[in-house]
Amino acid sequence: MPVARSLRSGDSRPRTGSEIRTAFLTFFAERAHQVIPSASLVPEDPTVLLTIAGMLPFKPVFMGQAERPAPRATSSQKCIRTNDIENVGRTARHHTFFEMLGNFSFGDYFKQQAIEWAWELTTEVFGLDPKNLVVSVFREDDEAETIWRDVVGVNPKRIIRMDEADNFWASGPTGPCGPCSEIYYDFKPDLGNDDIDLEDDGRFVEFYNLVFMQYNRDGEGNLTPLANRNIDTGMGLERMAQILQGVPNNYETDIIYPLIETAAGLAGLDYQKLDEKGKTSFKVIGDHCRAITHLICDGVTASNLGRGYIMRRLLRRVVRHGRLVGIEKPFLQAMGEAAIALMVEAYPQLEERRKLILAELNREEARFLETLERGEKVLADVLVANPQMISGGQAFELYDTYGFPLELTQEIAEEHGLTVDLQGFEQAMDQQRQRAKAAAVSIDLTLQGAIEQMAAELEATRFKGYEVLEQPGCVLALVVNGESAERASAGDSVQIVLDTTPFYGESGGQVGDHGVLSGEGSGGNGVIVTVDDVSRHRNVFVHFGRIERGTLALGDLVNAQVDRACRRRAQANHTATHLLQAALKQVVDSGIGQAGSLVDFDRLRFDFHCSRAVTAKELEQIEALINGWIMESHDLIVEEMSIQEAKAAGAVAMFGEKYADVVRVVDVPGVSMELCGGTHVANTAEIGLFKIVAESSVAAGIRRIEAVAGPAVLAYLNERDVVVKELGDRFKAQPSEIVERVTSLQEELKNTGKALVAARAELAVAKSVALVSKAVAVGPFQLLVQRLDCVDGTGLQGAAQSLVDELGEGSAVVLGGLPNPADLGKVILVAAFGKQVIAGGQQAGKFIGGIAKHCGGGGGGRPNLAQAGGRDGAALDGALAAAKVELKQALG
């Protein structure tokens, strides 16, 4: 075992993970810190899915929302983060599950005491040589630097000032915040003290972070000192174990390596003899097994939502990497047993819930193995085609039909040097959502009835979304499964009415907001509701969503929080729609009026009255005009005024729309003024960029422009860039040469088509030579009626004319055939008459038109040469027989 190499006899320093944890907690307990047990991975904080930091359980204390448990506290907190999941196993120190050792001061000691204790613990208890240590401080924190240099005695060259991104902590845009100071271990101190770069993770690893919470930040970004200053620190247990055990990475410490050995034994492999790819798979297994064991222990079950999805994703990655190293049979139970044995001393509840943990591992592994087998077969077929990219449609089919996770498709694609079209996948996913939504609307009549009844009985919702994106509200009404209800539980799809809401309800073409409702809930353990749509019924706002956790009842108080990113995108698109109407009036016709619109998070659509198409040049002018207004950074002015004042000021209203006596006017000074109840940006610069996607006709006199604005423009351009690159690769041309190359290919194709038609005509004529001998004499005339398949109309006409030329002026030729014998729905008939036949009163056009009726068709042409068609190939032989009989009678 790798950790054995680092354990020296007679060394009294903590070495094992258990010893490090105990030494840390004991050190601070001896300094009057209350030892707090690790909180659950399922946090009480409704804003996060999982416990992601050691300080999270104390966040309400730091925010002044809860009483402090003691003036000083210390803990070893289990945490999970998945934002860097792709790096797990590939780097030395990335994990999903990790333990954060921390010491906390709630208005008690502050900066100097925290720094001195951190140095004492690091150098005296853990025995790290000061020559191997480097300290970072916030660039403006002179106080911290002075303490490290003058009080602790750190070499000034090994104190590095860092910017706000690295060394300033904040709980959010506003609230408590403060500078940080970090301690790094230097694996290569022999490189000296000059030009130290702490970003060099091959040389340095940060293992201790001290946060000095000393300011409060207001809405304008101003910092004021806190009355009670706090300390929040964190030391990574896995990182300290790597340092003290002298191993190359966190995975080969005694904290994780036993799990790697267990998995390697199941695969019949020696981990130390594997290449990096093989070792990475075992590292992923070791890391993720710790995470899923603790998640199940804390009550998380696999699902497709929230933390359940995270658990399922981690578990399935374990199974996938197990197969990569040759473990074909179910093995999660064995890994669960090993994980429990490894961690039970620190977390006794693992033993208490052993049966539950193992049962969930078995059940979910069995379910996924079925999915994996089906999906891998389909994916193998896709890979055989050797594409450059797995399309979004293929990835979605794997996900939707076979339950194959997108992340797994990405991993397998990466193993084959391929990528996945994520944008295409999202489009396919969105199309499915739209289909499902449309289906629900068309059949859920009881739901609509319940909502209408609610809206008729309730007072109008107080909408606060113009001013705030977060607002408390009381639950006034609930609909579950189409019926009014007093209570709803986790898993229920619900419709909720609050007395007050910041959520915008779908109106004026703008879609409803997305976001979250959270609160204590009726059970007292917290409730979370995801909101994915909001509609309006008689000014009653109905929140459509799903209860993810807890129980919600009438009268409950919840905190309604709008998804800020979605709102920003909708605002950008809505303001861009106003600019689009103004630009159309300026460029195309000042009399243009709105006929409808759609403002979504990722696109906008504007319908308008116009008798003609907007030209390409006009579209360019419109686009340039709008982007010019965006760059000019116009501040929007939003006011409420009487309808008479608004019209007098020149505000544009939608024709036929009914407005109240008091209206809301959105003014982009000098550009646009409209009556509008939607949400908008504060300044046009927030839109970023505007791009027209399409212009088309919707109905007589109504045109439509579709466009994207804001972040959606980048996605649109990226999609087009992929297409251009692919075309460039296929045509072996630079982007600027693609149009010329395509034009050249079109010309080549056109010429080739002409040559092909000529060749087919020549072939038909050649085939017709053999038919000359089949002509029969009818008095002074020559009559020839024959079937000639696999020849198009041009070829048949050429053949018929050639036969008349060969047989003479007294000849009458009728040819019929199927261009494609497999397609009985297309018949071609041709007649060619010589001058003597025409002089005798026969005309090819009239004759062949009558014959074509036998095949369910018709046609005609000149007296000497004519063509007709039919739709019944089975009747062709009968039609030709009738032609022969009729011509014999006519010529005889």
Side-chain angles (χ1 to χ4, degrees):
M1 178 176 173
V3 292
R5 300 195 304 266
S6 68
L7 299 178
R8 300 193 296 269
S9 61
D11 192 337
S12 61
R13 290 184 298 170
R15 285 290 182 156
T16 68
S18 178
E19 290 171 349
I20 295 169
R21 184 190 300 111
T22 299
F24 184 96
L25 297 176
T26 300
F27 179 87
F28 285 103
E30 291 173 348
R31 287 155 180 78
H33 289 66
Q34 181 176 326
V35 179
I36 306 294
S38 174
S40 169
L41 286 172
V42 179
E44 295 181 4
D45 187 341
T47 64
V48 290
L49 282 176
L50 295 166
T51 300
I52 57 174
M55 62 77 63
L56 191 67
F58 302 112
K59 183 178 175 182
V61 179
F62 289 133
M63 301 291 288
Q65 300 167 348
E67 292 292 326
R68 62 184 185 178
R72 304 173 180 183
T74 185
S75 69
S76 177
Q77 176 62 49
K78 54 187 178 182
C79 306
I80 281 188
R81 295 180 191 170
T82 56
N83 51 314
D84 288 322
I85 192 172
E86 293 80 10
N87 291 322
V88 172
R90 297 183 179 181
T91 68
R93 291 174 283 276
H94 275 99
H95 298 290
T96 54
F97 178 89
F98 59 95
E99 289 184 69
M100 189 60 69
L101 306 171
N103 59 286
F104 309 91
S105 168
F106 309 110
D108 188 22
Y109 64 87
F110 196 53
K111 197 171 294 187
Q112 181 168 331
Q113 190 66 79
I115 289 174
E116 288 183 304
W117 278 339
W119 191 257
E120 180 184 355
L121 174 68
T122 300
T123 58
E124 297 183 20
V125 176
F126 293 133
L128 299 186
D129 190 335
K131 294 180 180 179
N132 287 79
L133 302 178
V134 177
V135 172
S136 71
V137 296
F138 179 51
R139 63 170 185 261
E140 299 171 12
D141 194 355
D142 297 332
E143 181 185 4
E145 182 176 17
T146 299
I147 295 170
W148 283 115
R149 183 188 64 234
D150 299 341
V151 178
V152 175
V154 176
N155 183 338
K157 288 190 174 183
R158 296 183 78 81
I159 302 175
I160 310 300
R161 289 184 180 248
M162 303 283 278
D163 289 333
E164 186 171 352
D166 297 294
N167 280 66
F168 197 92
W169 177 89
S171 60
T174 61
C177 56
C180 305
S181 184
E182 299 168 325
I183 308 177
Y184 288 76
Y185 187 80
D186 184 356
F187 289 99
K188 304 172 184 176
D190 53 301
L191 294 179
N193 300 330
D194 297 327
D195 301 321
I196 287 178
D197 179 10
L198 294 178
E199 297 294 327
D200 181 1
D201 58 5
R203 177 181 176 183
F204 299 102
V205 57
E206 177 252 313
F207 65 87
Y208 207 161
N209 183 17
L210 314 178
V211 177
F212 311 126
M213 210 176 299
Q214 65 188 91
Y215 299 115
N216 182 70
R217 177 182 281 155
D218 63 23
E220 296 180 357
N222 299 314
L223 298 178
T224 56
L226 287 171
N228 294 315
R229 301 178 299 179
N230 305 310
I231 289 292
D232 159 28
T233 80
M235 173 186 284
L237 175 63
E238 291 78 10
R239 295 188 179 191
M240 182 55 77
Q242 181 203 349
I243 294 168
L244 292 177
Q245 294 173 17
V247 291
N249 56 70
N250 293 359
Y251 300 94
E252 297 183 18
T253 64
D254 71 327
I255 300 175
I256 303 177
Y257 193 74
L259 297 177
I260 291 177
E261 282 190 313
T262 300
L266 293 171
L269 298 172
D270 184 342
Y271 171 82
Q272 294 299 334
K273 295 181 179 179
L274 295 175
D275 58 15
E276 284 306 310
K277 184 177 180 181
K279 286 184 177 180
T280 295
S281 286
F282 281 113
K283 290 174 183 176
V284 170
I285 293 171
D287 172 271
H288 288 9
C289 279
R290 296 201 308 161
I292 59 179
T293 301
H294 275 290
L295 281 170
I296 298 171
C297 182
D298 285 351
V300 179
T301 57
S303 70
N304 289 327
L305 289 171
R307 59 183 66 95
Y309 174 76
I310 292 173
M311 207 278 280
R312 174 168 282 173
R313 181 184 180 189
L314 294 174
L315 186 148
R316 292 185 169 188
R317 288 187 97 227
V318 173
V319 177
R320 166 65 185 161
H321 281 277
R323 288 170 73 92
L324 287 177
V325 295
I327 306 176
E328 296 292 336
K329 295 182 179 180
F331 71 105
L332 284 191
Q333 180 172 337
M335 293 305 302
E337 294 275 12
I340 292 171
L342 182 64
M343 300 182 291
V344 71
E345 181 181 352
Y347 301 100
Q349 61 267 37
L350 290 171
E351 181 59 40
E352 297 170 9
R353 300 175 186 174
R354 174 190 293 271
K355 289 184 179 179
L356 173 69
I357 294 169
L358 299 181
E360 177 70 8
L361 289 174
N362 275 332
R363 180 168 54 251
E364 188 63 18
E365 182 178 25
R367 181 180 299 152
F368 181 54
L369 283 174
E370 295 178 4
T371 295
L372 193 61
E373 185 175 356
R374 295 195 305 268
E376 283 183 333
K377 289 180 180 177
V378 175
L379 187 53
D381 292 339
V382 173
L383 295 172
V384 165
N386 195 28
Q388 292 183 337
M389 173 186 287
I390 295 176
S391 72
Q394 291 169 327
F396 181 73
E397 181 185 7
L398 285 164
Y399 169 82
D400 188 48
T401 305
Y402 301 98
F404 213 60
L406 174 63
E407 294 84 4
L408 198 52
T409 301
Q410 289 178 280
E411 284 190 20
I412 296 175
E414 187 176 345
E415 291 166 10
H416 290 79
L418 306 176
T419 57
V420 177
D421 178 8
L422 298 182
Q423 187 172 359
F425 177 87
E426 288 300 327
Q427 288 175 346
M429 179 72 81
D430 185 61
Q431 289 170 1
Q432 186 200 51
R433 292 192 192 105
Q434 295 300 324
R435 288 192 297 269
K437 184 176 180 181
V441 170
S442 65
I443 64 174
D444 203 352
L445 301 178
T446 59
L447 172 61
Q448 188 67 25
I451 290 178
E452 290 293 349
Q453 183 178 0
M454 272 191 329
E457 296 173 354
L458 296 172
E459 293 183 1
T461 305
R462 294 191 297 274
F463 174 61
K464 299 292 185 180
Y466 294 136
E467 301 86 20
V468 297
L469 294 182
E470 188 170 349
Q471 173 75 31
C474 177
V475 178
L476 299 183
L478 267 173
V479 171
V480 180
N481 297 325
E483 296 183 358
S484 296
E486 294 185 357
R487 186 178 299 271
S489 302
D492 287 341
S493 292
V494 294
Q495 291 75 46
I496 302 168
V497 176
L498 306 175
D499 63 340
T500 307
T501 184
F503 282 77
Y504 183 83
E506 182 175 349
S507 179
Q510 181 176 333
V511 297
D513 278 328
H514 292 183
V516 175
L517 307 180
S518 60
E520 293 183 2
S522 295
N525 295 322
V527 63
I528 297 177
V529 184
T530 56
V531 177
D532 53 26
D533 194 14
V534 182
S535 65
R536 298 190 197 191
H537 300 262
R538 303 181 183 181
N539 285 326
V540 172
F541 288 52
V542 182
H543 305 71
F544 290 71
R546 175 185 172 87
I547 298 185
E548 304 295 348
R549 175 179 130 189
T551 301
L552 187 69
L554 293 178
D556 282 355
L557 292 176
V558 295
N559 185 54
Q561 187 170 355
V562 175
D563 185 317
R564 294 175 182 272
C566 287
R567 171 66 79 86
R568 282 196 294 268
R569 294 198 297 269
Q571 289 177 170
N573 281 330
H574 205 152
T575 305
T577 305
H578 285 209
L579 300 182
L580 174 58
Q581 179 165 211
L584 281 165
K585 288 177 177 291
Q586 186 168 324
V587 174
V588 180
D589 186 347
S590 60
I592 276 179
Q594 180 179 343
S597 67
L598 170 67
V599 176
D600 210 333
F601 300 123
D602 297 314
R603 64 191 176 105
L604 66 92
R605 186 179 72 214
F606 185 74
D607 297 343
F608 54 100
H609 297 280
C610 189
S611 59
R612 64 172 179 83
V614 182
T615 67
K617 184 177 180 179
E618 288 172 335
L619 289 175
E620 288 181 10
Q621 291 176 323
I622 290 168
E623 202 169 80
L625 194 57
I626 293 173
N627 283 308
W629 289 331
I630 291 172
M631 294 184 67
E632 288 168 2
S633 301
H634 293 270
D635 286 324
L636 272 71
I637 300 173
V638 181
E639 296 180 289
E640 288 190 351
M641 60 183 72
S642 70
I643 184 69
Q644 292 80 10
E645 290 176 318
K647 289 182 177 179
V652 175
M654 186 171 175
F655 179 77
E657 186 76 13
K658 293 182 179 180
Y659 294 97
D661 293 335
V662 177
V663 294
R664 186 167 181 265
V665 178
V666 177
D667 183 16
V668 184
V671 178
S672 163
M673 180 185 286
E674 293 189 35
L675 305 183
C676 181
T679 62
H680 290 269
V681 298
N683 185 288
T684 57
E686 295 175 32
I687 299 173
L689 199 62
F690 175 87
K691 180 68 180 175
I692 293 175
V693 174
E695 191 274 347
S696 61
S697 172
V698 178
I702 297 179
R703 308 294 300 182
R704 170 175 291 174
I705 285 181
E706 297 175 72
V708 289
V713 177
L714 180 60
Y716 173 80
L717 295 178
N718 284 340
E719 181 183 359
R720 294 302 183 274
D721 189 47
V722 169
V723 173
V724 170
K725 287 179 180 177
E726 186 173 343
L727 288 174
D729 291 340
R730 292 192 179 188
F731 293 138
K732 308 298 183 189
Q734 294 297 317
S736 59
E737 300 170 344
I738 291 177
V739 173
E740 181 181 350
R741 182 74 177 116
V742 170
T743 302
S744 175
L745 288 173
Q746 287 178 320
E747 189 63 30
E748 290 178 17
L749 182 61
K750 184 178 179 180
N751 293 334
T752 301
K754 290 180 179 179
L756 181 59
V757 169
R760 285 175 175 172
E762 291 176 3
L763 179 61
V765 171
K767 286 184 177 181
S768 69
V769 172
L771 300 178
V772 172
S773 61
K774 296 184 179 181
V776 295
V778 180
F781 303 100
Q782 293 289 318
L783 174 61
L784 177 62
V785 179
Q786 287 293 321
R787 177 166 178 163
L788 194 61
D789 289 327
C790 301
V791 180
D792 61 14
T794 302
L796 277 183
Q797 287 190 37
Q801 186 61 59
S802 176
L803 286 167
V804 167
D805 294 340
E806 181 69 22
L807 294 172
E809 298 293 339
S811 61
V813 177
V814 175
L815 300 177
L818 303 177
N820 178 9
D823 181 9
L824 296 179
K826 185 175 183 180
V827 177
I828 297 177
L829 292 159
V830 171
F833 292 172
K835 291 182 180 179
Q836 294 179 14
V837 175
I838 296 171
Q842 301 303 313
Q843 293 187 9
K846 292 182 179 180
F847 180 82
I848 202 65
I851 296 301
K853 293 179 181 179
H854 291 274
C855 297
R862 303 192 305 274
N864 64 316
L865 183 65
Q867 178 178 319
R871 298 183 297 273
D872 184 4
L876 175 59
D877 288 335
L880 292 174
K884 193 171 186 178
V885 171
E886 289 183 26
L887 271 178
K888 276 187 177 181
Q889 292 175 351
L891 296 176

